[in-house]
Amino acid sequence: MKYQFPDNFWWGSASSAPQTEGETLSFGKSATIWDQWFKEQPTRFHNGVGPADTSTFYKNWKQDIALLKELNHNTFRTSISWARLIPEGRGAVNQEAVTFYNQVIDELVAQGIKPFINLFHFDMPMVMQQQGGWENRDVVTAYAEFANVCFELFGDRVKHWFTFNEPVVPVEGGYLYDFHYPNVVDFKRAATVAYHTMIAHSLAVKAYHERNDGGEIGIILNLTPSYPRSQNPADVKAANIADLMFNRSFLDPALRGEYPQELVALLKEHGQLPACQDGDKELLAAGVVDLLGINYYQPRRIKCRDSQVNPDSPFMPEWFFESYEMPGRKMNPYRGWEIYEQGIYDILTNLRENYGNPNCYISENGMGVENEQRFDENGQIQDDYRIDFVRDHLKWLHKGISEGSNCLGYHMWTFIDNWSWCNAYKNRYGFVSLNLETQQRTIKKSGEWYKATAAENGFN
Ligand code: BG6
C-alpha cells in the first residue's frame, strides 16, 4: 500500500536553542536555569555533561541548514533563547543575538525551509528565575515583552510561531517531581506556574493577532493519551483525572480559551486553585491558537489507586490514580518507554471529535536510543528500529488524515543528536549522529529514509 500524504505536507524535524546552540555564556548570552543548575549540581546530569556541550549550532548553523536541505526538509523548528536575545530578561536587546537569529532565519528561507520558531523551550533566564520565575506575574509580563521583540524583529520572515514547548514539563519537572530546576515539590506552586504559563501564552497570542502579520501562532503540547486499565468506572475516572491534569489543563485553554470545569472544581475542592486577576478570563479566551503542535512519544496507562491515600500526605496528582504497566505492551528496549503507534491517531481523533478539528501537526515524535554510537563498516549507524518507529507512526497519522483530521505535517525529534537536559546524551534521537569531540555529523540510515520519504511525499 502506498502512504501518500497531502500536497504541501510539512516534512521536517524539531530542535531547540538550549539543546543545540552551545556558547551558553558567551556572545552576550546570560545564564538560564540549566547553566545555574549544572553549576550547582553537575552530578544530576548524565556523565556530568552540561548545557555547553552541544552541536554548537551557534557556530555551525550554515552547515546544519545545508544538511536539513540535503534531507529534504521543507520546515524546521528551533527556538529563540530569551537569555540570549534579552540577557537581563527585559530591556536591552543583544545585537549579536539579533545578527545570529537573522542569519539562521534568512538561510532557512533562502533554502526553502520554513522556519517554525518557538519562544520557550524550558529555558528560563536565571535573572527571571531569581525573581520567582513563572510564579511571579511580572515574569509573565516580561515574557510577553520578549515575545513582542521577537515578532517585531523576525515576524517579517517567520510565519509560524509557538509560545511554549511542552509547558507541562517545567511544571512537573520543576515543581512536582524534581527533574528540573528549581526542584520544588509543591502542588499549589505547580498549579500557579501552570496557570501563569497559560496567561503568558495568551498575552503573546493576543499581541501577535493584534499585529496582523499574516502568520500563525500556536503552542506545542505533549499530549499523552491516558488509557484506563479497564472500563471499570473507577479506572475510567482515574484516567480522566490524569487526562485533566496533564493534557486538558493546557489543551482546553489553548483550543477553547478556558479551563475544564471539572479541573477547576477538583482543585477548588482541595484548596489548590491558583490566584487569578481581573481580566484573566477574557485574556485566556484571547489565547486560542491558530495551530496546535502535538508532541507524542508514549501513552499513559492508568488504573485507580489500590490503597486509600493518606489525607495527611501532601496533595499530588497521584492521590487520584496510579500508573499501570499493561501486560504485553511494546517497549522501546533502548529507552524504557512504551511504543504505542495508535496513540497518534487517537489524539487526532479526540481533536476532531471534541475540539472542532483544529489545524495541527506532529511537532515531535521520535525514538531515543542508549549507546547508539555503533557504526557499520561504511561508517553509518544502521538504525532500522528508528525507521520502523517513524514509519509506523506515520501510518497511523495517515489514517487520521484520511478520516478528515487537519494534520498538516510531521516533525521528527530530532535532527542531530542533541543535549537533552539531565539525560544529556544518554538517549540519542537524531537522524544525524553527532561526535561530540570532533563535532562531526554523519547521516544515519533513518536520515536517508526520511530524505526519500519527504521527496516522495510518502512511502510504500
Ligand atoms: C521532549 C522534549 O519531551 O523530549 C525535548 O521536548 C527532549 O526537549 C525530548 O529532548 C527527549 O527527552 P529524553 O529525556 O528522552 O532525552
Side-chain angles (χ1 to χ4, degrees), residues 15-16 18-19 77 121-122 165-166 169 220 222 295 297 335 337 364 366-369 413-414 418-429:
S15 71
S16 77
Q19 295 178 268
R77 166 164 68 106
H121 201 119
F122 311 164
N165 174 75
E166 302 190 348
V169 170
I220 290 164
N222 48 325
N295 291 358
Y297 289 89
R335 170 70 176 91
W337 281 358
E364 283 182 33
M367 187 176 183
V369 175
W413 183 270
T414 182
N418 65 18
W419 180 78
S420 198
W421 323 109
C422 286
N423 282 334
Y425 290 87
K426 184 167 182 225
N427 311 304
R428 288 174 179 255
Y429 282 85

Side-chain angles (χ1 to χ4, degrees), residues 181-220:
Y181 201 83
N183 316 94
V184 169
V185 178
D186 183 320
F187 189 93
K188 182 85 180 268
R189 291 175 68 182
T192 299
V193 167
Y195 181 64
H196 285 173
T197 305
M198 289 315 283
I199 293 290
H201 157 86
S202 300
L203 281 171
V205 170
K206 186 166 181 281
Y208 186 69
H209 283 154
E210 284 168 2
R211 296 177 61 88
N212 271 320
D213 263 356
E216 298 188 318
I217 188 159
I219 191 167
I220 290 164

Side-chain angles (χ1 to χ4, degrees), residues 23-272:
E23 300 298 343
T24 46
L25 299 173
S26 37
F27 300 100
K29 183 183 163 293
S30 67
T32 68
I33 54 172
W34 294 96
D35 302 308
Q36 180 64 25
W37 193 19
F38 183 65
K39 198 164 113 188
E40 289 175 17
Q41 287 188 298
T43 53
R44 290 291 305 261
F45 294 77
H46 184 68
N47 287 340
V49 176
D53 287 320
T54 65
S55 52
T56 323
F57 186 66
Y58 191 84
K59 292 192 166 150
N60 297 323
W61 54 271
K62 198 155 190 180
Q63 178 191 0
D64 286 349
I65 295 172
L67 263 174
L68 289 171
K69 176 82 182 160
E70 189 182 335
L71 295 187
N72 288 328
H73 282 42
N74 57 19
T75 46
F76 173 64
R77 166 164 68 106
T78 187
S79 65
I80 290 179
S81 159
W82 183 359
R84 188 181 296 287
L85 191 68
I86 308 181
E88 294 304 316
R90 61 194 335 160
V93 171
N94 170 12
Q95 291 308 321
E96 286 185 277
V98 176
T99 304
F100 166 64
Y101 290 118
N102 269 334
Q103 286 173 335
V104 168
I105 291 165
D106 286 347
E107 182 67 10
L108 285 167
V109 172
Q111 297 299 338
I113 301 167
K114 286 194 178 84
F116 283 28
I117 299 294
N118 171 37
L119 296 171
F120 191 90
H121 201 119
F122 311 164
D123 53 344
M124 179 65 83
M126 198 54 209
V127 280
M128 294 280 99
Q129 189 63 40
Q130 278 156 347
Q131 294 169 37
W134 294 120
E135 290 184 87
N136 180 353
R137 279 290 283 236
D138 282 347
V139 170
V140 169
T141 319
Y143 165 85
E145 289 164 13
F146 157 64
N148 268 304
V149 170
C150 292
F151 301 150
E152 187 65 35
L153 287 169
F154 312 115
D156 56 335
R157 288 149 291 156
V158 175
K159 298 299 173 192
H160 296 88
W161 291 97
F162 298 93
T163 55
F164 286 89
N165 174 75
E166 302 190 348
V168 74
V169 170
V171 175
E172 293 175 297
Y175 295 86
L176 283 179
Y177 304 123
D178 183 30
F179 61 90
H180 275 205
Y181 201 83
N183 316 94
V184 169
V185 178
D186 183 320
F187 189 93
K188 182 85 180 268
R189 291 175 68 182
T192 299
V193 167
Y195 181 64
H196 285 173
T197 305
M198 289 315 283
I199 293 290
H201 157 86
S202 300
L203 281 171
V205 170
K206 186 166 181 281
Y208 186 69
H209 283 154
E210 284 168 2
R211 296 177 61 88
N212 271 320
D213 263 356
E216 298 188 318
I217 188 159
I219 191 167
I220 290 164
L221 302 179
N222 48 325
L223 296 177
T224 309
S226 292
Y227 298 107
R229 167 181 58 180
S230 71
Q231 287 310 307
N232 172 319
D235 284 337
V236 172
K237 185 175 173 202
N240 283 342
I241 294 181
D243 186 40
L244 275 176
M245 290 207 175
F246 295 109
N247 296 324
R248 294 189 58 198
S249 49
F250 297 93
L251 183 64
D252 281 41
L255 292 182
R256 295 182 173 151
E258 61 183 13
Y259 281 93
Q261 278 316 307
E262 306 95 294
L263 178 67
V264 175
L266 184 79
L267 297 194
K268 200 168 179 183
E269 183 191 338
H270 293 278
Q272 302 290 332

